[in-house]
Amino acid sequence: MIKTTILDASTDNIIYCADLLKNGEVVAMPTETVYGLAANIFNDKAVSKIFEIKGRPQDNPLICHISNISMLDELTIDLHSEIFQKLIEKFWPGPLTVIVPRNKKVSNLITANLDTVAIRFPSHIVSRKLIEACGFPLAAPSANLSGKPSPTSANHVFYDLNGRIKAILDGGICEVGLESTIVKIEDDSLRVLRPGIISVDMLKEVTENIVLDDSVLNQIDPNSTVISPGTKYKHYSPNADIVLVDSSLDDFRTYVSDKLKENVWCAVFDGEQKCFDKNVLTFGYNEKDQAHNIFMVLRKFDELGASKVFFRCPKKENIGLAVYNRLLRAAAFNLVVL
Ligand code: AMP
Ligand code: MG
């Protein structure tokens, strides 16, 4: 078994991790969204370790992380579209992933044989320093076991991947707490494949032509061909069964009141917990807090040994849409509307 060490993000440790990555190893790194499991995008053997370690299906493509704009040359052939330039100017570095036509230098393992590639320029200083020290972009899906809630602290990564990787760079708790917004450029419009804290309203400052992909709010048949393969898979699931309850607080309280016992819990917005005398956790006041907390709270329910959790339904617009999208998947689309 490999010994897994959590390392503080000193310059020496960043250089040590860059050396591991140059030697074809994988390393967990902090980003502002969630922790990523990183490998050299130009080393197929290293990239294939990501799939093995996570238990990730091979047809789920990876996001390439860069630390300066000149790295784009090796990744895409479409540097100059006006809409891409505007997205870069407005949102990079930051929690936005952009899907563009790929450069042939990017392997099929990264893109899952698609003719496009997903690119992100993270704002977290530790990931940027690490990529810079490597000199090549890093493929980095979330550093969790596939299907589990994404990790937002070094300890979460350790819990899932202890014994499978050598190093976890500790950059503290992730500021955003949810994965990046993913958009695909389609001529002069943008298709949102995954909502995040860069909301549809914010994207509208770049173009009014925005399409929300069907997979954002609907369950996708695993045998179908989809634009964003990751949307087919079970996601973000703690051990407990999650039920998402779309209702007023009063109706929620009535619905769960005789159900909360032993390992059955509920998750409500900050300030609402006083309505419940037991088995309650909160997951934030406004949508931004909820985004920050949601994966942490899902993992907390595992620690508590919860077998079932009823969740209050977040707002379905702006950042709330991203939280709703993750909770729908955590609940395997088990949505109760009262
Ligand atoms: P993760 O790395 O787990 O945050 O997931 C990355 C997501 O990006 C997956 O859901 C993929 O389906 C999506 N993705 C990556 N590359 C592409 C691409 N070329 N086209 C469409 N979606 C992509
Ligand atoms: Mg993931």
Side-chain angles (χ1 to χ4, degrees), residues 34 54 56 60 141-144 148 150 179 194 235-236:
V34 301
K54 279 180 60 80
R56 182 176 174 104
N60 194 357
S142 47
N144 53 324
K148 292 287 163 200
S150 299
E179 302 86 347
R194 180 171 71 187
H235 256 106
Y236 319 123

Side-chain angles (χ1 to χ4, degrees), residues 53 103 169 191 221 234 241 311 319 338:
I53 290 167
N103 183 320
L169 263 182
R191 179 178 290 273
D221 175 354
K234 193 171 169 214
D241 288 332
F311 260 86
I319 300 173
L338 301 176

Side-chain angles (χ1 to χ4, degrees), residues 54 56 60-63 97 99-100 110-111 114 116-118 140-142 179-180 182 184 193-194 227-231 235:
K54 279 180 60 80
R56 182 176 174 104
N60 194 357
L62 303 175
I63 296 171
T97 295
I99 313 262
V100 288
I110 297 282
T111 64
L114 297 168
T116 50
V117 61
S142 47
E179 302 86 347
S180 57
I182 302 182
K184 185 171 187 207
L193 298 177
R194 180 171 71 187
I227 296 178
S228 181
T231 56
H235 256 106

Side-chain angles (χ1 to χ4, degrees), residues 117-327:
V117 61
I119 310 175
R120 187 163 102 77
F121 186 159
S123 64
H124 197 296
I125 191 67
V126 176
S127 47
R128 287 167 63 175
K129 281 184 178 168
L130 181 64
I131 302 164
E132 217 43 33
C134 287
F136 44 75
L138 295 175
S142 47
N144 53 324
L145 293 175
S146 246
K148 292 287 163 200
S150 299
T152 55
S153 74
N155 282 334
H156 292 166
V157 181
F158 189 83
Y159 184 86
D160 275 16
L161 302 184
N162 181 22
R164 296 174 190 237
I165 58 175
K166 278 192 182 151
I168 302 167
L169 263 182
D170 190 348
I173 296 199
C174 301
E175 189 189 337
V176 174
L178 274 191
E179 302 86 347
S180 57
T181 304
I182 302 182
V183 294
K184 185 171 187 207
I185 298 178
E186 295 180 335
D187 299 322
D188 64 344
S189 68
L190 287 177
R191 179 178 290 273
V192 177
L193 298 177
R194 180 171 71 187
I197 69 150
I198 299 209
S199 64
V200 171
D201 276 0
M202 290 162 79
L203 292 167
K204 277 194 179 148
E205 290 172 31
V206 167
T207 174
E208 282 293 319
N209 297 335
I210 296 185
V211 183
L212 205 57
D213 195 63
D214 273 353
S215 62
V216 170
L217 295 175
N218 299 297
Q219 195 159 18
I220 300 298
D221 175 354
N223 298 315
S224 63
T225 306
V226 291
I227 296 178
S228 181
T231 56
K232 292 190 299 192
Y233 294 106
K234 193 171 169 214
H235 256 106
Y236 319 123
S237 306
N239 296 328
D241 288 332
I242 305 292
V243 184
L244 192 53
V245 183
D246 188 356
S247 71
S248 66
L249 174 60
D250 276 351
D251 288 345
F252 182 88
R253 194 167 44 180
T254 310
Y255 184 73
V256 303
S257 63
D258 59 343
K259 299 184 175 77
L260 300 182
K261 53 189 162 216
E262 291 159 23
N263 295 329
V264 181
W265 288 71
C266 69
V268 300
F269 307 139
D270 284 17
E272 297 178 346
Q273 65 272 32
K274 54 184 178 297
C275 300
F276 305 85
D277 58 6
K278 59 174 173 308
N279 291 22
V280 60
L281 289 183
T282 58
F283 67 105
Y285 176 68
N286 59 31
E287 289 73 41
K288 204 167 173 194
D289 293 343
Q290 291 164 19
H292 179 74
N293 294 332
I294 189 66
F295 288 133
M296 222 159 1
V297 171
L298 286 171
R299 283 178 180 263
K300 185 87 192 156
F301 282 119
D302 277 353
E303 278 170 36
L304 292 165
S307 59
K308 193 165 201 163
V309 184
F310 296 93
F311 260 86
R312 289 268 282 136
C313 189
K315 279 191 193 147
K316 295 168 200 157
E317 66 235 16
N318 291 320
I319 300 173
L321 180 70
V323 183
Y324 178 64
N325 165 273
R326 304 311 190 275
L327 275 175

